[in-house]
């Protein structure tokens, strides 16, 4: 799934969709942000079950403040509207994939154990 530009108006519907919401906070002038962009895009293509969005912090300063973004790039991951991960820096693709895998397991509802067979059957 391609990434979309996140705004205050699109945040609520993204959260309501369910699953993880991964947000890349970036700025046009930020060199490390340009290094992270293709990594984020590749991960987005591999995980259509999650929402991948970008926030241009120069245009959306309110969202950057809301999520406590102080350094760029910063990856914030939400589940049910709550921050479950936030870190500045440029993770490699395999590191981002590990983050997504770990968080997917952590936020998935537990699989119920199968019921034992009924007596006499």
């Amino acid at each position: 799934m391609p990434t979309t530009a996140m705004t205050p108006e699109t945040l609520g519907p993204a959260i309501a969709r369910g699953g993880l919401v991964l947000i890349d906070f970036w700025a046009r002038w930020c060199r490390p942000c340009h290094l992270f962009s293709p990594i984020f895009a590749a991960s987005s293509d591999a995980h259509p079950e999650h929402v991948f969005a970008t926030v241009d912090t120069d245009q959306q300063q309110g969202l950057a403040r809301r999520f406590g973004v102080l350094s760029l790039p910063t990856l914030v991951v939400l589940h049910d509207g709550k921050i479950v991960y936030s870190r500045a820096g440029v993770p490699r693709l395999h590191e981002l994939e590990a983050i997504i895998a770990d968080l997917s397991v952590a936020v998935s509802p537990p699989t119920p154990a199968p019921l034992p067979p009924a007596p006499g059957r």
Side-chain angles (χ1 to χ4, degrees), residues 21-71:
V21 178
L22 296 93
I23 307 172
D24 170 22
F25 287 86
W26 69 283
R28 192 172 315 280
W29 48 264
C30 168
R31 284 189 167 234
C33 296
H34 293 284
L35 294 174
F36 182 54
S37 180
I39 295 167
F40 193 70
S43 189
S44 170
D45 291 341
H47 296 281
E49 70 277 17
H50 302 306
V51 174
F52 284 74
T54 60
V55 172
D56 181 338
T57 57
D58 289 331
Q59 294 180 1
Q60 299 294 335
Q61 293 177 10
L63 279 177
R65 276 191 304 276
R66 179 175 175 180
F67 288 98
V69 173
L70 300 174
S71 299

Side-chain angles (χ1 to χ4, degrees), residues 85-99:
Y85 181 91
S86 180
R87 182 159 300 152
V90 181
R92 296 172 188 241
L93 181 58
H94 73 274
E95 294 168 328
L96 180 55
E97 291 299 311
I99 292 165

Side-chain angles (χ1 to χ4, degrees), residues 102-117:
D102 290 347
L103 291 173
S104 294
V105 169
V107 300
S108 295
T111 305
L115 295 174

